[in-house]
Amino acid sequence: MVMRSISVGLLCALMGMGCGGDDEGQPQSCSVAEQTGCAAPQVCEEVEGAQPACFEPVTLRGRVYDSLDDKAVAGARVLARDPSDAVISRVAVTGADGTYELVVPARRDLSGAPVEANITLRADAQAYETFPKAPRVALPIDLSTAAGKPLAIESAATEISLLPLSDSEGLGSISGVVHADQPGGTLLVAGGATGAADLDGSYTIYNVAAGDVTVNGYAAGLALDTASATVSAGKETTGVDLHATGDATAVVSGKVEIVNAPGGSATSVILVVADTFDEATARGETPRGLRQGDVTGEFSIAGVPDGDYVVLAAFEDDALVRDPDTSIGGTEIVRITVSGQDLMVQESFKVTGAIGVVSPGASALEEVSGTPTFVFEDDSSEDLYEVRLFDALGAKIWENLEVPRVTGSESVSVEYDGPGLIPGMIYQFRTTSKKDGTPISQTEDLKGVFVYR
């Protein structure tokens, strides 16, 4: 007979650990959702093949610092998210030295060791760009790598560099609470600035332009009212609460058409809140759960709250990009408004094979010094290329719109000859191939990213 579940008491006896108990030493059960039944500092964790039990927590340790001068960023809010961007931890606030400790839930095996599971971090601070924000990505942290006593993870993935905003004067902040059953990870938006709700619903939105703004909240399946706030520069506007008004049930569906893409066979579709969408970079923020991966044709995203969205396909590193050929249908950026009803996107999205990035930033954030050279795979059907360089704040730094085609080579190299780059700043180069004056392909959304040293 295969035993599929064992009691907390037997688990504790097998592992020789304390799981809490009554006065007679009998083991107690614990609640993961309510975090009861465990004596501090232990926490209640799920166990594979057994009932939940008490364990020493897994703690992430790291530092938040200014990307340009390496100085500590105090007062930054750091939280952990699962692959769907749902928040799984309480918020940790960095100290004067920029350091933080963040306890995260970690499912255990029968030996008490954390099982493999990837999470990522988000960080927000006044006068700094939110991390991560495309083209920057958060490195996955595998909880099974926790080591030591108590269990902890401290690595490159827990070190977070924030980019200072070019102009933070005239900006304030908003804070409040999202009152809902499961508020953690709700995306809060006020005038284009964003924040993420803690597990208890508390939130702070930094870098909101002074004046009257409306605060909206977005998460799959969650319908919220709106709130108004008057923001003053350099000050925090408190008590701006949002309340659940029911369930969001609308379904957004449509179809992706993959063409001329020998290197890619599936993509993803995301809904970006329109107020966060940047026209120049064609990027924005996606609420928790409003994404479908492994799309090969039809897609369907359920639980979409009311609001205005931009629908994007082929946003991630999948060897595919949105087809930039404006001479054919299905290549325009699609905007939708959801108002409580299901919505079918009428025109299919066309995505096509991406131009491969060779360097820098082919597979990870690279360090570059001196004069950068941008190298990408040749698109054999082009007449010429356009190459542009953007900083991570979305500003275009440089462009060369007449890079000639090459013959007899599998790659194209373009040397940067623009203004001096800033040490510590993160940049991304993007390439578009053109034929007869029409764009036909481009490099992927999240590649070509590097930090200048």
Side-chain angles (χ1 to χ4, degrees), residues 32-84:
V32 173
E34 299 175 1
Q35 279 301 310
T36 56
C38 297
Q42 291 189 334
V43 293
C44 187
E45 303 276 41
E46 294 182 349
V47 180
E48 290 188 329
Q51 298 173 16
C54 301
F55 302 91
E56 294 295 324
V58 171
T59 301
L60 306 185
R61 299 194 182 106
R63 177 173 176 261
V64 179
Y65 60 94
D66 188 304
S67 177
L68 303 188
D69 59 17
D70 199 45
K71 291 182 179 178
V73 176
R77 289 167 57 93
V78 183
L79 49 77
R81 303 190 295 187
D82 69 13
S84 72

mmCIF file of all heavy atoms in Angstrom, residues 32-84:
data_model
loop_
_atom_site.group_PDB
_atom_site.id
_atom_site.type_symbol
_atom_site.label_atom_id
_atom_site.label_comp_id
_atom_site.label_asym_id
_atom_site.label_seq_id
_atom_site.Cartn_x
_atom_site.Cartn_y
_atom_site.Cartn_z
ATOM 1 N N VAL A 32 -1.684 27.093 7.160
ATOM 2 C CA VAL A 32 -0.849 27.861 6.244
ATOM 3 C C VAL A 32 -1.488 29.209 5.958
ATOM 4 O O VAL A 32 -0.824 30.254 5.968
ATOM 5 C CB VAL A 32 -0.621 27.085 4.928
ATOM 6 C CG1 VAL A 32 0.106 27.946 3.905
ATOM 7 C CG2 VAL A 32 0.160 25.807 5.195
ATOM 8 N N ALA A 33 -2.796 29.211 5.706
ATOM 9 C CA ALA A 33 -3.481 30.445 5.332
ATOM 10 C C ALA A 33 -3.465 31.468 6.460
ATOM 11 O O ALA A 33 -3.237 32.657 6.236
ATOM 12 C CB ALA A 33 -4.916 30.134 4.910
ATOM 13 N N GLU A 34 -3.699 31.007 7.693
ATOM 14 C CA GLU A 34 -3.798 31.931 8.821
ATOM 15 C C GLU A 34 -2.505 32.045 9.605
ATOM 16 O O GLU A 34 -2.373 32.918 10.469
ATOM 17 C CB GLU A 34 -4.922 31.473 9.752
ATOM 18 C CG GLU A 34 -6.288 31.453 9.075
ATOM 19 C CD GLU A 34 -7.367 30.888 9.982
ATOM 20 O OE1 GLU A 34 -7.046 30.538 11.138
ATOM 21 O OE2 GLU A 34 -8.526 30.813 9.541
ATOM 22 N N GLN A 35 -1.519 31.174 9.293
ATOM 23 C CA GLN A 35 -0.245 31.148 10.005
ATOM 24 C C GLN A 35 -0.453 31.062 11.512
ATOM 25 O O GLN A 35 0.048 31.877 12.298
ATOM 26 C CB GLN A 35 0.617 32.350 9.639
ATOM 27 C CG GLN A 35 1.364 32.174 8.326
ATOM 28 C CD GLN A 35 2.286 30.956 8.322
ATOM 29 O OE1 GLN A 35 3.094 30.747 9.245
ATOM 30 N NE2 GLN A 35 2.169 30.126 7.293
ATOM 31 N N THR A 36 -1.208 30.029 11.918
ATOM 32 C CA THR A 36 -1.417 29.745 13.332
ATOM 33 C C THR A 36 -0.933 28.330 13.618
ATOM 34 O O THR A 36 -0.831 27.494 12.724
ATOM 35 C CB THR A 36 -2.900 29.860 13.708
ATOM 36 O OG1 THR A 36 -3.678 28.990 12.865
ATOM 37 C CG2 THR A 36 -3.387 31.290 13.516
ATOM 38 N N GLY A 37 -0.664 28.055 14.907
ATOM 39 C CA GLY A 37 -0.272 26.718 15.326
ATOM 40 C C GLY A 37 1.214 26.500 15.435
ATOM 41 O O GLY A 37 1.644 25.413 15.828
ATOM 42 N N CYS A 38 2.022 27.504 15.099
ATOM 43 C CA CYS A 38 3.483 27.368 15.179
ATOM 44 C C CYS A 38 4.043 28.401 16.146
ATOM 45 O O CYS A 38 3.617 29.560 16.155
ATOM 46 C CB CYS A 38 4.124 27.560 13.805
ATOM 47 S SG CYS A 38 3.649 26.329 12.575
ATOM 48 N N ALA A 39 5.007 27.973 16.931
ATOM 49 C CA ALA A 39 5.671 28.888 17.851
ATOM 50 C C ALA A 39 6.762 29.646 17.105
ATOM 51 O O ALA A 39 7.575 29.055 16.401
ATOM 52 C CB ALA A 39 6.284 28.113 19.019
ATOM 53 N N ALA A 40 6.786 30.975 17.230
ATOM 54 C CA ALA A 40 7.795 31.805 16.577
ATOM 55 C C ALA A 40 9.197 31.339 16.994
ATOM 56 O O ALA A 40 9.390 30.917 18.130
ATOM 57 C CB ALA A 40 7.587 33.265 16.959
ATOM 58 N N PRO A 41 10.155 31.337 16.075
ATOM 59 C CA PRO A 41 10.091 31.916 14.724
ATOM 60 C C PRO A 41 9.622 30.935 13.635
ATOM 61 O O PRO A 41 9.734 31.253 12.457
ATOM 62 C CB PRO A 41 11.539 32.323 14.479
ATOM 63 C CG PRO A 41 12.332 31.243 15.167
ATOM 64 C CD PRO A 41 11.533 30.910 16.412
ATOM 65 N N GLN A 42 9.126 29.758 14.029
ATOM 66 C CA GLN A 42 8.709 28.809 13.014
ATOM 67 C C GLN A 42 7.461 29.298 12.275
ATOM 68 O O GLN A 42 6.690 30.094 12.789
ATOM 69 C CB GLN A 42 8.435 27.442 13.641
ATOM 70 C CG GLN A 42 9.695 26.733 14.143
ATOM 71 C CD GLN A 42 9.396 25.309 14.551
ATOM 72 O OE1 GLN A 42 8.277 24.983 14.925
ATOM 73 N NE2 GLN A 42 10.410 24.462 14.478
ATOM 74 N N VAL A 43 7.319 28.784 11.045
ATOM 75 C CA VAL A 43 6.170 29.141 10.218
ATOM 76 C C VAL A 43 5.520 27.865 9.711
ATOM 77 O O VAL A 43 6.158 26.807 9.634
ATOM 78 C CB VAL A 43 6.581 30.019 9.024
ATOM 79 C CG1 VAL A 43 7.060 31.376 9.491
ATOM 80 C CG2 VAL A 43 7.649 29.335 8.177
ATOM 81 N N CYS A 44 4.244 27.955 9.388
ATOM 82 C CA CYS A 44 3.496 26.805 8.887
ATOM 83 C C CYS A 44 3.687 26.711 7.375
ATOM 84 O O CYS A 44 3.436 27.678 6.649
ATOM 85 C CB CYS A 44 2.019 26.948 9.214
ATOM 86 S SG CYS A 44 1.039 25.485 8.812
ATOM 87 N N GLU A 45 4.160 25.556 6.890
ATOM 88 C CA GLU A 45 4.423 25.367 5.463
ATOM 89 C C GLU A 45 3.686 24.136 4.957
ATOM 90 O O GLU A 45 3.448 23.173 5.700
ATOM 91 C CB GLU A 45 5.922 25.166 5.215
ATOM 92 C CG GLU A 45 6.798 26.293 5.730
ATOM 93 C CD GLU A 45 6.902 27.455 4.768
ATOM 94 O OE1 GLU A 45 5.872 27.827 4.167
ATOM 95 O OE2 GLU A 45 8.012 28.005 4.637
ATOM 96 N N GLU A 46 3.348 24.152 3.666
ATOM 97 C CA GLU A 46 2.802 22.972 3.018
ATOM 98 C C GLU A 46 3.892 21.911 2.878
ATOM 99 O O GLU A 46 5.073 22.232 2.718
ATOM 100 C CB GLU A 46 2.246 23.335 1.643
ATOM 101 C CG GLU A 46 1.045 24.266 1.701
ATOM 102 C CD GLU A 46 0.492 24.575 0.330
ATOM 103 O OE1 GLU A 46 1.161 24.232 -0.675
ATOM 104 O OE2 GLU A 46 -0.602 25.170 0.240
ATOM 105 N N VAL A 47 3.460 20.642 2.933
ATOM 106 C CA VAL A 47 4.393 19.517 2.839
ATOM 107 C C VAL A 47 3.894 18.559 1.765
ATOM 108 O O VAL A 47 2.704 18.215 1.741
ATOM 109 C CB VAL A 47 4.517 18.776 4.186
ATOM 110 C CG1 VAL A 47 5.502 17.609 4.061
ATOM 111 C CG2 VAL A 47 4.956 19.739 5.283
ATOM 112 N N GLU A 48 4.773 18.146 0.880
ATOM 113 C CA GLU A 48 4.391 17.202 -0.168
ATOM 114 C C GLU A 48 4.031 15.860 0.448
ATOM 115 O O GLU A 48 4.836 15.259 1.172
ATOM 116 C CB GLU A 48 5.529 17.026 -1.170
ATOM 117 C CG GLU A 48 5.777 18.259 -2.034
ATOM 118 C CD GLU A 48 6.780 17.978 -3.143
ATOM 119 O OE1 GLU A 48 7.665 17.135 -2.937
ATOM 120 O OE2 GLU A 48 6.670 18.621 -4.214
ATOM 121 N N GLY A 49 2.814 15.385 0.204
ATOM 122 C CA GLY A 49 2.392 14.085 0.692
ATOM 123 C C GLY A 49 2.071 14.034 2.162
ATOM 124 O O GLY A 49 1.983 12.947 2.734
ATOM 125 N N ALA A 50 1.912 15.200 2.791
ATOM 126 C CA ALA A 50 1.628 15.214 4.226
ATOM 127 C C ALA A 50 0.847 16.463 4.569
ATOM 128 O O ALA A 50 0.671 17.366 3.742
ATOM 129 C CB ALA A 50 2.922 15.150 5.038
ATOM 130 N N GLN A 51 0.377 16.506 5.815
ATOM 131 C CA GLN A 51 -0.311 17.690 6.292
ATOM 132 C C GLN A 51 0.695 18.815 6.528
ATOM 133 O O GLN A 51 1.890 18.562 6.700
ATOM 134 C CB GLN A 51 -1.055 17.375 7.584
ATOM 135 C CG GLN A 51 -2.133 16.305 7.438
ATOM 136 C CD GLN A 51 -2.727 15.919 8.777
ATOM 137 O OE1 GLN A 51 -2.566 16.633 9.756
ATOM 138 N NE2 GLN A 51 -3.411 14.789 8.828
ATOM 139 N N PRO A 52 0.234 20.068 6.537
ATOM 140 C CA PRO A 52 1.151 21.173 6.826
ATOM 141 C C PRO A 52 1.824 20.990 8.176
ATOM 142 O O PRO A 52 1.273 20.390 9.097
ATOM 143 C CB PRO A 52 0.216 22.401 6.831
ATOM 144 C CG PRO A 52 -0.938 21.999 5.967
ATOM 145 C CD PRO A 52 -1.133 20.521 6.222
ATOM 146 N N ALA A 53 3.035 21.539 8.291
ATOM 147 C CA ALA A 53 3.791 21.406 9.532
ATOM 148 C C ALA A 53 4.630 22.659 9.746
ATOM 149 O O ALA A 53 4.720 23.530 8.880
ATOM 150 C CB ALA A 53 4.678 20.160 9.488
ATOM 151 N N CYS A 54 5.250 22.747 10.939
ATOM 152 C CA CYS A 54 6.021 23.928 11.322
ATOM 153 C C CYS A 54 7.496 23.747 10.995
ATOM 154 O O CYS A 54 8.076 22.684 11.279
ATOM 155 C CB CYS A 54 5.858 24.217 12.803
ATOM 156 S SG CYS A 54 4.148 24.506 13.302
ATOM 157 N N PHE A 55 8.111 24.771 10.441
ATOM 158 C CA PHE A 55 9.517 24.721 10.045
ATOM 159 C C PHE A 55 10.171 26.063 10.307
ATOM 160 O O PHE A 55 9.501 27.097 10.404
ATOM 161 C CB PHE A 55 9.663 24.413 8.541
ATOM 162 C CG PHE A 55 9.044 23.132 8.098
ATOM 163 C CD1 PHE A 55 7.729 23.102 7.662
ATOM 164 C CD2 PHE A 55 9.775 21.955 8.102
ATOM 165 C CE1 PHE A 55 7.144 21.928 7.236
ATOM 166 C CE2 PHE A 55 9.192 20.770 7.676
ATOM 167 C CZ PHE A 55 7.882 20.750 7.252
ATOM 168 N N GLU A 56 11.508 26.039 10.358
ATOM 169 C CA GLU A 56 12.246 27.287 10.334
ATOM 170 C C GLU A 56 11.996 27.944 8.977
ATOM 171 O O GLU A 56 11.968 27.277 7.955
ATOM 172 C CB GLU A 56 13.751 27.034 10.525
ATOM 173 C CG GLU A 56 14.121 26.496 11.891
ATOM 174 C CD GLU A 56 13.822 27.500 12.999
ATOM 175 O OE1 GLU A 56 13.993 28.714 12.762
ATOM 176 O OE2 GLU A 56 13.403 27.067 14.095
ATOM 177 N N PRO A 57 11.779 29.248 8.923
ATOM 178 C CA PRO A 57 11.415 29.889 7.660
ATOM 179 C C PRO A 57 12.592 29.990 6.687
ATOM 180 O O PRO A 57 13.754 29.897 7.083
ATOM 181 C CB PRO A 57 10.953 31.280 8.102
ATOM 182 C CG PRO A 57 11.716 31.534 9.363
ATOM 183 C CD PRO A 57 11.813 30.197 10.051
ATOM 184 N N VAL A 58 12.253 30.186 5.420
ATOM 185 C CA VAL A 58 13.246 30.528 4.401
ATOM 186 C C VAL A 58 13.267 32.049 4.278
ATOM 187 O O VAL A 58 12.223 32.680 4.096
ATOM 188 C CB VAL A 58 12.912 29.884 3.046
ATOM 189 C CG1 VAL A 58 13.815 30.426 1.944
ATOM 190 C CG2 VAL A 58 13.023 28.373 3.132
ATOM 191 N N THR A 59 14.449 32.624 4.387
ATOM 192 C CA THR A 59 14.592 34.069 4.360
ATOM 193 C C THR A 59 15.464 34.487 3.180
ATOM 194 O O THR A 59 16.541 33.920 2.963
ATOM 195 C CB THR A 59 15.224 34.580 5.663
ATOM 196 O OG1 THR A 59 14.411 34.198 6.769
ATOM 197 C CG2 THR A 59 15.369 36.090 5.644
ATOM 198 N N LEU A 60 14.996 35.465 2.419
ATOM 199 C CA LEU A 60 15.816 36.072 1.384
ATOM 200 C C LEU A 60 16.525 37.279 1.981
ATOM 201 O O LEU A 60 15.909 38.104 2.653
ATOM 202 C CB LEU A 60 14.968 36.523 0.194
ATOM 203 C CG LEU A 60 14.056 35.489 -0.464
ATOM 204 C CD1 LEU A 60 13.399 36.095 -1.699
ATOM 205 C CD2 LEU A 60 14.815 34.232 -0.831
ATOM 206 N N ARG A 61 17.819 37.378 1.731
ATOM 207 C CA ARG A 61 18.598 38.515 2.215
ATOM 208 C C ARG A 61 19.244 39.210 1.034
ATOM 209 O O ARG A 61 19.772 38.563 0.126
ATOM 210 C CB ARG A 61 19.677 38.071 3.202
ATOM 211 C CG ARG A 61 19.154 37.405 4.455
ATOM 212 C CD ARG A 61 20.237 37.309 5.510
ATOM 213 N NE ARG A 61 19.761 36.629 6.714
ATOM 214 C CZ ARG A 61 20.106 35.390 7.051
ATOM 215 N NH1 ARG A 61 20.948 34.699 6.291
ATOM 216 N NH2 ARG A 61 19.621 34.843 8.156
ATOM 217 N N GLY A 62 19.172 40.523 1.014
ATOM 218 C CA GLY A 62 19.766 41.243 -0.103
ATOM 219 C C GLY A 62 19.893 42.717 0.199
ATOM 220 O O GLY A 62 19.730 43.170 1.340
ATOM 221 N N ARG A 63 20.154 43.455 -0.863
ATOM 222 C CA ARG A 63 20.385 44.898 -0.739
ATOM 223 C C ARG A 63 19.777 45.588 -1.949
ATOM 224 O O ARG A 63 19.826 45.075 -3.075
ATOM 225 C CB ARG A 63 21.889 45.186 -0.666
ATOM 226 C CG ARG A 63 22.287 46.648 -0.617
ATOM 227 C CD ARG A 63 23.786 46.773 -0.377
ATOM 228 N NE ARG A 63 24.243 48.157 -0.420
ATOM 229 C CZ ARG A 63 24.816 48.730 -1.480
ATOM 230 N NH1 ARG A 63 25.027 48.026 -2.587
ATOM 231 N NH2 ARG A 63 25.206 49.987 -1.439
ATOM 232 N N VAL A 64 19.195 46.754 -1.719
ATOM 233 C CA VAL A 64 18.684 47.597 -2.796
ATOM 234 C C VAL A 64 19.574 48.828 -2.869
ATOM 235 O O VAL A 64 19.813 49.494 -1.853
ATOM 236 C CB VAL A 64 17.219 48.007 -2.544
ATOM 237 C CG1 VAL A 64 16.722 48.906 -3.678
ATOM 238 C CG2 VAL A 64 16.337 46.766 -2.428
ATOM 239 N N TYR A 65 20.078 49.122 -4.074
ATOM 240 C CA TYR A 65 21.040 50.209 -4.206
ATOM 241 C C TYR A 65 20.838 50.966 -5.516
ATOM 242 O O TYR A 65 20.186 50.477 -6.450
ATOM 243 C CB TYR A 65 22.472 49.666 -4.134
ATOM 244 C CG TYR A 65 22.810 48.655 -5.215
ATOM 245 C CD1 TYR A 65 23.424 49.050 -6.399
ATOM 246 C CD2 TYR A 65 22.512 47.307 -5.045
ATOM 247 C CE1 TYR A 65 23.721 48.131 -7.397
ATOM 248 C CE2 TYR A 65 22.812 46.381 -6.031
ATOM 249 C CZ TYR A 65 23.418 46.801 -7.201
ATOM 250 O OH TYR A 65 23.702 45.891 -8.177
ATOM 251 N N ASP A 66 21.392 52.163 -5.564
ATOM 252 C CA ASP A 66 21.316 53.028 -6.735
ATOM 253 C C ASP A 66 22.234 52.479 -7.819
ATOM 254 O O ASP A 66 23.429 52.273 -7.595
ATOM 255 C CB ASP A 66 21.733 54.452 -6.339
ATOM 256 C CG ASP A 66 21.493 55.470 -7.435
ATOM 257 O OD1 ASP A 66 22.009 55.269 -8.548
ATOM 258 O OD2 ASP A 66 20.820 56.482 -7.178
ATOM 259 N N SER A 67 21.680 52.241 -9.005
ATOM 260 C CA SER A 67 22.452 51.641 -10.085
ATOM 261 C C SER A 67 23.610 52.523 -10.533
ATOM 262 O O SER A 67 24.628 52.013 -11.005
ATOM 263 C CB SER A 67 21.534 51.355 -11.279
ATOM 264 O OG SER A 67 22.250 50.842 -12.376
ATOM 265 N N LEU A 68 23.479 53.838 -10.368
ATOM 266 C CA LEU A 68 24.497 54.741 -10.899
ATOM 267 C C LEU A 68 25.656 55.005 -9.939
ATOM 268 O O LEU A 68 26.784 55.204 -10.381
ATOM 269 C CB LEU A 68 23.856 56.079 -11.292
ATOM 270 C CG LEU A 68 22.713 56.005 -12.316
ATOM 271 C CD1 LEU A 68 22.312 57.399 -12.752
ATOM 272 C CD2 LEU A 68 23.107 55.158 -13.511
ATOM 273 N N ASP A 69 25.403 55.010 -8.635
ATOM 274 C CA ASP A 69 26.490 55.321 -7.694
ATOM 275 C C ASP A 69 26.664 54.271 -6.597
ATOM 276 O O ASP A 69 27.497 54.447 -5.711
ATOM 277 C CB ASP A 69 26.282 56.697 -7.066
ATOM 278 C CG ASP A 69 24.962 56.814 -6.303
ATOM 279 O OD1 ASP A 69 24.357 55.777 -5.984
ATOM 280 O OD2 ASP A 69 24.530 57.951 -6.038
ATOM 281 N N ASP A 70 25.881 53.195 -6.635
ATOM 282 C CA ASP A 70 25.987 52.082 -5.691
ATOM 283 C C ASP A 70 25.591 52.466 -4.262
ATOM 284 O O ASP A 70 25.800 51.698 -3.331
ATOM 285 C CB ASP A 70 27.416 51.493 -5.686
ATOM 286 C CG ASP A 70 27.457 50.089 -5.099
ATOM 287 O OD1 ASP A 70 26.580 49.277 -5.455
ATOM 288 O OD2 ASP A 70 28.358 49.800 -4.275
ATOM 289 N N LYS A 71 24.995 53.625 -4.080
ATOM 290 C CA LYS A 71 24.575 54.026 -2.741
ATOM 291 C C LYS A 71 23.300 53.290 -2.343
ATOM 292 O O LYS A 71 22.467 52.958 -3.182
ATOM 293 C CB LYS A 71 24.343 55.536 -2.678
ATOM 294 C CG LYS A 71 25.628 56.349 -2.794
ATOM 295 C CD LYS A 71 25.339 57.837 -2.664
ATOM 296 C CE LYS A 71 26.620 58.654 -2.761
ATOM 297 N NZ LYS A 71 26.352 60.120 -2.676
ATOM 298 N N ALA A 72 23.160 53.063 -1.037
ATOM 299 C CA ALA A 72 21.995 52.344 -0.532
ATOM 300 C C ALA A 72 20.719 53.128 -0.794
ATOM 301 O O ALA A 72 20.697 54.357 -0.729
ATOM 302 C CB ALA A 72 22.156 52.095 0.965
ATOM 303 N N VAL A 73 19.638 52.399 -1.083
ATOM 304 C CA VAL A 73 18.311 52.992 -1.209
ATOM 305 C C VAL A 73 17.518 52.578 0.026
ATOM 306 O O VAL A 73 17.144 51.406 0.168
ATOM 307 C CB VAL A 73 17.602 52.531 -2.494
ATOM 308 C CG1 VAL A 73 16.183 53.105 -2.544
ATOM 309 C CG2 VAL A 73 18.389 52.952 -3.725
ATOM 310 N N ALA A 74 17.296 53.500 0.921
ATOM 311 C CA ALA A 74 16.540 53.222 2.144
ATOM 312 C C ALA A 74 15.052 53.408 1.886
ATOM 313 O O ALA A 74 14.639 54.223 1.062
ATOM 314 C CB ALA A 74 17.004 54.143 3.265
ATOM 315 N N GLY A 75 14.238 52.635 2.597
ATOM 316 C CA GLY A 75 12.797 52.780 2.507
ATOM 317 C C GLY A 75 12.169 52.151 1.281
ATOM 318 O O GLY A 75 10.987 52.382 1.017
ATOM 319 N N ALA A 76 12.920 51.351 0.531
ATOM 320 C CA ALA A 76 12.351 50.660 -0.627
ATOM 321 C C ALA A 76 11.482 49.501 -0.165
ATOM 322 O O ALA A 76 11.783 48.841 0.839
ATOM 323 C CB ALA A 76 13.465 50.133 -1.538
ATOM 324 N N ARG A 77 10.396 49.260 -0.891
ATOM 325 C CA ARG A 77 9.490 48.152 -0.594
ATOM 326 C C ARG A 77 9.840 46.968 -1.492
ATOM 327 O O ARG A 77 9.838 47.093 -2.727
ATOM 328 C CB ARG A 77 8.037 48.573 -0.818
ATOM 329 C CG ARG A 77 7.511 49.548 0.205
ATOM 330 C CD ARG A 77 6.194 50.167 -0.235
ATOM 331 N NE ARG A 77 5.173 49.161 -0.501
ATOM 332 C CZ ARG A 77 4.284 48.725 0.390
ATOM 333 N NH1 ARG A 77 4.310 49.193 1.622
ATOM 334 N NH2 ARG A 77 3.355 47.840 0.056
ATOM 335 N N VAL A 78 10.122 45.824 -0.863
ATOM 336 C CA VAL A 78 10.504 44.613 -1.599
ATOM 337 C C VAL A 78 9.512 43.507 -1.264
ATOM 338 O O VAL A 78 9.182 43.291 -0.096
ATOM 339 C CB VAL A 78 11.931 44.153 -1.217
ATOM 340 C CG1 VAL A 78 12.336 42.936 -2.038
ATOM 341 C CG2 VAL A 78 12.935 45.291 -1.428
ATOM 342 N N LEU A 79 9.015 42.819 -2.278
ATOM 343 C CA LEU A 79 8.118 41.682 -2.045
ATOM 344 C C LEU A 79 8.399 40.589 -3.069
ATOM 345 O O LEU A 79 9.030 40.815 -4.099
ATOM 346 C CB LEU A 79 6.655 42.131 -2.088
ATOM 347 C CG LEU A 79 6.152 42.993 -3.254
ATOM 348 C CD1 LEU A 79 5.927 42.163 -4.490
ATOM 349 C CD2 LEU A 79 4.869 43.703 -2.855
ATOM 350 N N ALA A 80 7.949 39.385 -2.752
ATOM 351 C CA ALA A 80 8.181 38.222 -3.607
ATOM 352 C C ALA A 80 6.903 37.864 -4.351
ATOM 353 O O ALA A 80 5.798 37.960 -3.806
ATOM 354 C CB ALA A 80 8.653 37.034 -2.763
ATOM 355 N N ARG A 81 7.059 37.402 -5.605
ATOM 356 C CA ARG A 81 5.922 37.039 -6.445
ATOM 357 C C ARG A 81 6.150 35.670 -7.077
ATOM 358 O O ARG A 81 7.298 35.275 -7.344
ATOM 359 C CB ARG A 81 5.706 38.086 -7.544
ATOM 360 C CG ARG A 81 5.508 39.481 -7.003
ATOM 361 C CD ARG A 81 5.069 40.454 -8.061
ATOM 362 N NE ARG A 81 6.066 40.678 -9.089
ATOM 363 C CZ ARG A 81 5.943 41.603 -10.039
ATOM 364 N NH1 ARG A 81 4.859 42.372 -10.087
ATOM 365 N NH2 ARG A 81 6.894 41.766 -10.947
ATOM 366 N N ASP A 82 5.058 34.964 -7.333
ATOM 367 C CA ASP A 82 5.155 33.687 -8.027
ATOM 368 C C ASP A 82 5.139 33.945 -9.536
ATOM 369 O O ASP A 82 5.061 35.101 -9.976
ATOM 370 C CB ASP A 82 4.035 32.733 -7.578
ATOM 371 C CG ASP A 82 2.650 33.157 -8.035
ATOM 372 O OD1 ASP A 82 2.528 34.046 -8.900
ATOM 373 O OD2 ASP A 82 1.666 32.592 -7.523
ATOM 374 N N PRO A 83 5.231 32.880 -10.382
ATOM 375 C CA PRO A 83 5.309 33.092 -11.831
ATOM 376 C C PRO A 83 4.121 33.822 -12.438
ATOM 377 O O PRO A 83 4.232 34.363 -13.540
ATOM 378 C CB PRO A 83 5.429 31.661 -12.383
ATOM 379 C CG PRO A 83 6.116 30.902 -11.300
ATOM 380 C CD PRO A 83 5.535 31.459 -10.033
ATOM 381 N N SER A 84 2.970 33.872 -11.737
ATOM 382 C CA SER A 84 1.818 34.599 -12.262
ATOM 383 C C SER A 84 1.767 36.035 -11.748
ATOM 384 O O SER A 84 0.793 36.749 -11.980
ATOM 385 C CB SER A 84 0.514 33.886 -11.880
ATOM 386 O OG SER A 84 0.249 34.036 -10.493
#
